[in-house]
Amino acid sequence: MANEFINRPFGFNIKVPTKTIKQVEKTAGGTVSGIWEPLFNFIDENQNVFTGDVSRQIAKFNAMQYNIGAALREGNTNGGFDVKG
């Protein structure tokens, strides 16, 4: 199929040599087969980001931070530390 697609006559009915077609098939086969591998590895390694787990953890920590701040605001308003204890 690739041979028929690449070796169509163009211009003045010039055809690409068979050796060139074989070299193109060899190069394209080696290059194209691994072209998506880095992308799939990235997606697998960062699955938590794409599923929303990281977003839920950030929301949970923000809620904890707010609750701690609210509890501290309700406490002693004088501030300061007891360093003589």
Side-chain angles (χ1 to χ4, degrees):
M1 182 173 151
N3 188 8
E4 295 170 6
F5 178 74
I6 294 173
N7 207 14
R8 288 189 207 162
F10 62 92
F12 298 108
N13 290 332
I14 299 171
K15 288 194 170 193
V16 179
T18 307
K19 180 180 177 185
T20 305
I21 293 172
K22 289 180 181 178
Q23 288 174 340
V24 168
E25 289 174 353
K26 180 181 174 184
T27 303
T31 305
V32 173
S33 64
I35 196 168
W36 299 108
E37 188 173 344
L39 175 65
F40 293 139
N41 289 341
F42 176 78
I43 291 173
D44 288 340
E45 291 172 3
N46 299 300
Q47 192 67 28
N48 292 338
V49 174
F50 298 113
T51 60
D53 291 340
V54 172
S55 177
R56 283 188 286 276
Q57 288 177 350
I58 290 172
K60 180 178 81 171
F61 289 130
N62 284 339
M64 284 189 338
Q65 178 185 4
Y66 176 79
N67 290 335
I68 290 170
L72 289 173
R73 284 188 293 275
E74 290 177 7
N76 186 3
T77 58
N78 295 335
F81 294 99
D82 183 16
V83 293
K84 296 183 182 182

